[in-house]
Amino acid sequence: MKNKKSDDLSKNFWYALAAISSILVILIGISFFLFSTREEEVIDKKIKGGNILLKYTNDITGLTISKATPVTDEIGMKNNKEDQVFDFSLEINLEDAKDIEYEISAIKNDSLSTIADDDIRVYLEKEKSGTYSKVFGPAPFEALKKRSKLGSPEDSMVLVKSHTTKDLKENYRLRLWLSNKGLTKTGNYSVEIVVNGKAK
């Protein structure tokens, strides 16, 4: 004859195990939901008379390529590998301003970059009617010698300089690759995207 106390302990063990398993499943489900529905990272730059916002699909504000090997421009411009493409959007709200001049710039991260500036290729596209087309490059990284009038910092490279007289939203795609015409054979390169502007 089985011991009743032993049976009770066995049942309690299985009830506790089932409860803990259910809690773990629920927690994992909640974590996955929060991760998969994570909102865009937004950098809001307030200027007199309007707002300029850069939006990213995660908390990464630029593009870093690692252990790059040389490729032609034809290949680099079409490359859609996740670690060599960076999508972001720009939104401008004029509010009280009549006109906003703006610049989109790339700032090199020296500590993460081993490829020579002359050997890197920078290429930026803008989306129009669902298709991306060239707005800059491909070109080597060429840094400003001094701060621009719109505020792009010294050592950054201006990729887009424009203005708008109405609210706008633009989607961009940045690519980096190692040129097949340079001396560098492999390496890393990292840039951060920033926007600066002035309202009139």
Side-chain angles (χ1 to χ4, degrees):
M1 188 172 178
K2 289 186 178 179
N3 189 318
K4 185 178 179 184
K5 187 178 283 188
S6 176
D7 285 346
D8 289 342
L9 286 173
S10 179
K11 285 180 182 178
N12 288 339
F13 170 78
W14 289 111
Y15 287 148
L17 183 62
I20 292 170
S21 299
S22 298
I23 291 170
L24 286 173
V25 169
I26 291 170
L27 288 175
I28 291 169
I30 291 172
S31 299
F32 178 78
F33 174 78
L34 291 175
F35 178 81
S36 63
T37 58
R38 183 172 53 180
E39 292 184 0
E40 290 180 315
E41 185 79 9
V42 179
I43 306 249
D44 187 357
K45 185 177 284 290
K46 295 185 181 295
I47 58 176
K48 186 177 180 181
N51 282 345
I52 301 178
L53 296 90
L54 271 180
K55 291 190 174 184
Y56 312 98
T57 53
N58 50 44
D59 57 358
I60 299 172
T61 59
L63 178 59
T64 300
I65 58 171
S66 302
K67 298 179 181 177
T69 54
V71 297
T72 65
D73 286 350
E74 289 74 17
I75 292 174
M77 288 189 292
K78 296 176 182 177
N79 190 354
N80 284 322
K81 291 181 180 176
E82 186 178 352
D83 59 348
Q84 294 183 25
V85 175
F86 175 62
D87 289 342
F88 64 96
S89 65
L90 171 71
E91 287 188 23
I92 294 181
N93 302 309
L94 266 67
E95 296 182 352
D96 299 327
K98 293 182 179 179
D99 190 354
I100 289 182
E101 290 184 273
Y102 62 95
E103 290 177 338
I104 299 173
S105 305
I107 301 176
K108 175 186 173 185
N109 186 327
D110 289 317
S111 64
L112 296 178
S113 301
T114 59
I115 297 172
D117 292 345
D118 289 341
D119 290 346
I120 199 69
R121 303 295 278 168
V122 183
Y123 183 60
L124 185 69
E125 295 177 314
K126 183 169 72 173
E127 182 188 22
K128 186 175 182 181
S129 302
T131 302
Y132 282 90
S133 55
K134 166 186 168 178
V135 292
F136 178 88
F141 188 92
E142 189 171 346
L144 293 174
K145 300 257 192 286
K146 62 180 182 179
R147 185 183 181 89
S148 76
K149 291 181 180 179
L150 293 182
S152 292
E154 179 184 352
D155 293 333
S156 69
M157 182 170 72
V158 176
L159 306 178
V160 174
K161 182 175 182 179
S162 189
H163 77 99
T164 183
T165 56
K166 59 183 180 181
D167 292 352
L168 63 78
K169 178 177 179 179
E170 297 174 330
N171 296 318
Y172 289 92
R173 178 165 290 164
L174 175 71
R175 290 184 176 89
L176 298 175
W177 64 89
L178 175 56
S179 172
N180 67 330
K181 296 180 180 178
L183 298 176
T184 311
K185 300 305 178 186
T186 187
N188 311 323
Y189 207 87
S190 180
V191 297
E192 178 185 2
I193 295 297
V194 296
V195 61
N196 289 281
K198 289 185 179 178
K200 295 180 180 179

